[in-house]
Amino acid sequence: MLGNFTYHNPTKLYFGKDAIRNLKSALAPYGKRVLLVYGGGSIKKNGIYDRVISILHEAGKEVYEDAGVMPNPTTDKLAEGIARARAHGAEFILAVGGGSVCDYAKALAASVYATCDPWEEYFVNQNEPTCKTLPVGCVLTMVGTGSEMNGGSVITNPAIKQKNAHNFKADLFPRFAILDPTYTYTLPYEQMVAGIFDIFSHVCEQYFSGEDDNTSDYLMEGLLRSLIHSSRIAVKDPLDYEARSNIMWTATWALNTLVSRGKATDWMVHMFGHAVSAYTNATHGMTLAAISLPYYRHILPYGVQKFKRFAVNVFDVDAAGKSDEEVAREGLAALEEWMRTLGVAMDIASLGATEDMIEGMADATFINEGGYKILSRDEVVAILRESLLAK
Ligand code: NZQ
Ligand code: ZN
């Protein structure tokens, strides 16, 4: 049965070629002092930085910069950003980049006026900010996380090898997000497919849970079909606008909180992925890819009907004359074929994981209870080891 829920998403989206032309009006309601947050320099190489700066000047903003946000942003970088934002009296945070930059901007927005330790308060104790927060806007350059239209923020504390997420409430969702598919054309191939797999995983982690007949499952099957279809075009021709724009739009819908309303969710693949990333600093989407097949093969017997439905409705497996479990397993075989076509990571060893990290990664893996099987610690270790040894 569809449970009761509240759905509210305040992010305004500007989508399409040259959507950046809306930046000036989008910024109009906010203060003059803008902190421009970005990553390691891709936006300088592809010209997005110059365009954003010229619009900010045209809009009469005072621009301060906080550059160097790394993939898997850290607590140390957050402390540096807080000092910078305070020193400049930032009134608005503009994130230009991928999920890491956008997540970091939200954490920063919640921390500038905080007197607590943000890591402990938000990422360990999962409290909401009680202090004033800053508004955030986003110009997206990497597709996958859905961070452009959610309150998610994921920060790594390298000192204790822990990567934790916090889902901030509506105030910290980006006030607006600018989504121009052509801004993703300069992404390296590996990042493009990592993002595609991240989207896939977001949908599956909300799909493989519950046995209810609900609208969300139908929506998710549609999102997956569109993603798989467009990804097969994009890997052959990364400049295909239609494919790249469909992928971008799918990413936003996969994790803007809509499809999880009223139903259980799993999120175990992400829990594994974050633990792997805390130990290896590997690319987020690749950690999910490396864990998915060992995990889904392990839980399939506890959710056969849903895996069968996935096989038939997402990968068009012909169910005639086969047992439910055979159909379900064919679905995972089709998934494997698709993953190999993309060229995503199939094992955690290729991401830098080694046998001596397994116990620590298991300790860093939060065990959720919304999926088809609540894992024991031994099962967590077994799944990590299976991925380590996978080919
Ligand atoms: O730093 P720069 O130089 O900009 O390079 C980045 C980075 O190296 C590069 N890049 C981005 N746009 C580019 C580009 N290179 C060329 N052209 C462009 N247009 O891509 C690299 C990866 O960027 P990053 O932002 O790290 O990737 P992604 O968007 O996958 O974000 C990953 C982070 O988001 C978290 C992950 O855990 C990870 O920390 N997540 C956030 C979620 C959320 N907010 O809801 C949910 C996700 O499940 C995820 O956990
Ligand atoms: Zn993800």
Side-chain angles (χ1 to χ4, degrees):
M1 194 184 75
L2 197 62
N4 297 357
F5 59 84
T6 302
Y7 180 67
H8 171 61
N9 192 316
T11 305
K12 182 167 185 173
L13 300 179
Y14 299 93
F15 190 97
K17 280 183 188 162
D18 206 35
I20 195 77
R21 68 183 182 281
N22 298 291
L23 179 60
K24 187 176 168 190
S25 61
L27 284 167
Y30 304 105
K32 208 173 160 61
R33 290 189 297 279
V34 173
L35 187 69
L36 174 64
V37 174
Y38 58 97
S42 69
I43 65 165
K44 289 205 165 161
K45 288 193 202 122
N46 58 22
I48 296 172
Y49 173 88
D50 289 342
R51 186 81 197 273
V52 167
I53 288 285
S54 86
I55 294 172
L56 286 169
H57 287 153
E58 201 187 304
K61 303 290 182 183
E62 285 171 26
V63 184
Y64 304 96
E65 296 195 16
D66 181 16
V69 179
M70 63 291 284
N72 308 318
T74 63
T75 41
D76 290 345
K77 176 63 191 163
L78 183 58
E80 186 194 310
I82 293 168
R84 208 176 280 260
R86 285 178 183 165
H88 297 304
E91 295 172 284
F92 188 85
I93 300 181
L94 183 63
V96 183
S100 294
V101 172
C102 200
D103 282 14
Y104 169 86
K106 293 175 211 170
L108 188 53
S111 304
V112 175
Y113 287 94
T115 50
C116 55
D117 171 0
W119 169 259
E120 287 295 325
E121 187 74 0
Y122 307 137
F123 297 94
V124 177
N125 297 328
Q126 298 294 324
N127 291 326
E128 278 297 303
T130 50
C131 58
K132 174 181 164 183
T133 61
L134 292 180
V136 173
C138 164
V139 177
L140 196 67
T141 66
M142 153 87 197
V143 167
T145 63
S147 188
E148 67 275 15
M149 201 183 185
N150 69 35
S153 176
V154 186
I155 297 292
T156 298
N157 186 334
I160 56 166
K161 289 194 165 49
Q162 193 74 44
K163 182 178 186 182
N164 288 6
H166 181 83
N167 286 313
F168 288 108
K169 297 224 169 77
D171 257 12
L172 283 163
F173 282 40
R175 300 294 169 95
F176 62 82
I178 292 181
L179 309 179
D180 181 341
T182 67
Y183 278 19
T184 68
Y185 282 175
T186 53
L187 274 171
Y189 180 88
E190 189 205 281
Q191 289 294 340
M192 178 183 80
V193 295
I196 289 170
F197 198 85
D198 193 20
I199 304 166
F200 174 84
S201 193
H202 293 158
V203 180
C204 285
E205 303 225 43
Q206 298 169 95
Y207 182 78
F208 287 122
S209 41
E211 293 293 353
D212 302 333
D213 178 20
N214 67 57
T215 301
S216 291
D217 284 334
Y218 293 93
L219 287 173
M220 287 191 271
E221 285 161 0
L223 290 173
L224 290 175
R225 289 185 72 91
S226 168
L227 178 68
I228 292 163
H229 168 75
S230 297
S231 71
R232 290 193 194 278
I233 298 168
V235 295
K236 289 202 188 105
D237 180 7
L239 301 186
D240 186 296
Y241 181 79
E242 189 164 40
R244 295 301 287 271
S245 56
N246 281 328
I247 292 168
M248 189 174 225
W249 194 215
T250 305
T252 303
W253 282 103
L255 201 55
N256 70 0
T257 74
L258 177 81
V259 296
S260 63
R261 295 307 86 180
K263 78 176 293 291
T265 55
D266 179 356
W267 292 114
M268 271 317 299
V269 172
H270 269 68
M271 297 304 98
F272 277 108
H274 287 176
V276 171
S277 175
Y279 274 74
T280 62
N281 199 25
T283 297
H284 172 63
M286 293 304 187
T287 65
L288 307 175
I291 288 293
S292 284
L293 284 170
Y295 175 68
Y296 287 132
R297 286 188 184 123
H298 186 83
I299 63 161
L300 180 146
Y302 306 94
V304 172
Q305 289 309 319
K306 196 60 164 285
F307 280 93
K308 178 186 175 190
R309 176 174 166 170
F310 170 79
V312 173
N313 291 357
V314 176
F315 279 108
D316 294 325
V317 170
D318 180 2
K322 296 170 195 157
S323 71
D324 291 350
E325 182 150 351
E326 277 170 344
V327 178
R329 291 204 181 274
E330 271 191 43
L332 293 190
L335 168 58
E336 180 172 352
E337 180 277 323
W338 175 63
M339 289 171 70
R340 291 193 188 278
T341 304
L342 295 182
V344 290
M346 304 302 280
D347 63 275
I348 57 173
S350 64
L351 302 176
T354 47
E355 173 61 37
D356 60 324
M357 294 177 185
I358 294 281
E359 292 293 331
M361 288 192 298
D363 289 339
T365 303
F366 286 105
I367 297 178
N368 288 337
E369 302 193 347
Y372 290 126
K373 170 79 173 69
I374 301 174
L375 299 181
S376 66
R377 190 177 184 284
D378 285 350
E379 290 176 302
V380 170
V381 168
I383 290 164
L384 285 165
R385 196 162 279 134
E386 196 180 326
S387 174
L388 186 74
L389 302 173
K391 286 278 166 281

